[in-house]
Amino acid sequence: ASGNDGSPKCCFAAYKFDGTLDSTFGNNGIIKYNIGSGSSDVVKIEEQLDGKIVAACNSNNNLGIHSYGLMRLNANGTLDNTFNGTGKLVLNLGAYQDEVYDLILQPDGKIIVVGQTGTSNPALDWMGIARLNSNGTLDNTFGTGGIVKIRYPNTKSVASCVAIQTDGKIIVGGHTVTYGSQNSFCVARLNSNGTMDNSFSADGMDSA
């Protein structure tokens, strides 16, 4: 959906069980937010046990630079200011283009988002995985400052989905692209602290 300036914005709509818009949410059931200085779009939402809504978004600035975006709404559609002070967060995993594709909530309230993070050579982009505390800060107990990057050798690697095992280990699925060759599915398993789980395929990664 577009805002008054014409740029696409994150749009949320809430419906009742009978299919009508829920007037207790946003403006007669609909709310729009921009998360960056340019266009924004929502790629995944999850509802917390308390009814708050966490959204993974792609955020673009006016120069066309893409970043991970996160937003948390109260159950009535207003921004939750206990999340990063504003209810919104723009997260750059590196100095180049980032795209987020999935998110999941841990039982302890922490938030994991996955996608791809760029390099100076787009043919060698990384899987990008970030974990945040429930207040929107990066979780320093995960990876390096809350961020993990994984790349299969000599490929562009993209994380498109994420799941959490009952033991807390994190499974990330996606694909690799080797230019001039066929794309491949790939999967990685991380320990709960973001290190590779070497009990999975010897080094924590596999592709087919």
Side-chain angles (χ1 to χ4, degrees), residues 9 13 44 47 53 57 75 86 99 103 128 130 137 139 167 169:
K9 296 184 181 293
K44 180 70 180 291
E47 184 178 6
I53 301 161
C57 316
T86 62
E99 293 277 352
L103 86 91
T137 58
D139 177 11
D167 61 2
K169 291 183 178 182

Side-chain angles (χ1 to χ4, degrees), residues 143-192:
T144 301
I147 295 170
V148 172
K149 298 179 183 181
I150 303 169
R151 184 174 63 213
Y152 290 77
N154 303 312
T155 71
K156 173 180 180 175
S157 300
V158 178
S160 55
C161 56
V162 60
I164 301 172
Q165 296 184 171
T166 55
D167 61 2
K169 291 183 178 182
I170 301 160
I171 300 174
V172 179
H175 69 274
T176 64
V177 181
T178 304
Y179 286 89
S181 181
Q182 186 175 1
N183 296 2
S184 299
F185 293 110
C186 63
V187 64
R189 189 165 72 189
L190 311 179
N191 296 307
S192 60

Side-chain angles (χ1 to χ4, degrees), residues 65-159:
I65 302 300
H66 297 232
S67 304
Y68 285 21
L70 283 160
M71 191 178 300
R72 190 164 69 198
L73 311 181
N74 296 305
N76 64 359
T78 58
L79 289 166
D80 174 17
N81 292 334
T82 67
F83 182 79
N84 195 43
T86 62
K88 301 187 288 185
L89 172 70
V90 174
L91 179 63
N92 295 301
L93 276 65
Y96 298 92
Q97 298 278 18
D98 294 330
E99 293 277 352
V100 64
Y101 295 116
D102 198 13
L103 86 91
I104 195 168
L105 303 179
Q106 291 191 172
D108 61 2
K110 292 183 179 181
I111 303 161
I112 298 174
V113 287
V114 303
Q116 71 183 78
T117 182
T119 69
S120 58
N121 180 357
L124 297 175
D125 285 358
W126 300 77
M127 287 183 168
I129 305 150
R131 188 166 74 191
L132 297 97
N133 298 306
S134 61
N135 63 1
T137 58
L138 283 165
D139 177 11
N140 290 325
T141 69
F142 181 81
T144 301
I147 295 170
V148 172
K149 298 179 183 181
I150 303 169
R151 184 174 63 213
Y152 290 77
N154 303 312
T155 71
K156 173 180 180 175
S157 300
V158 178

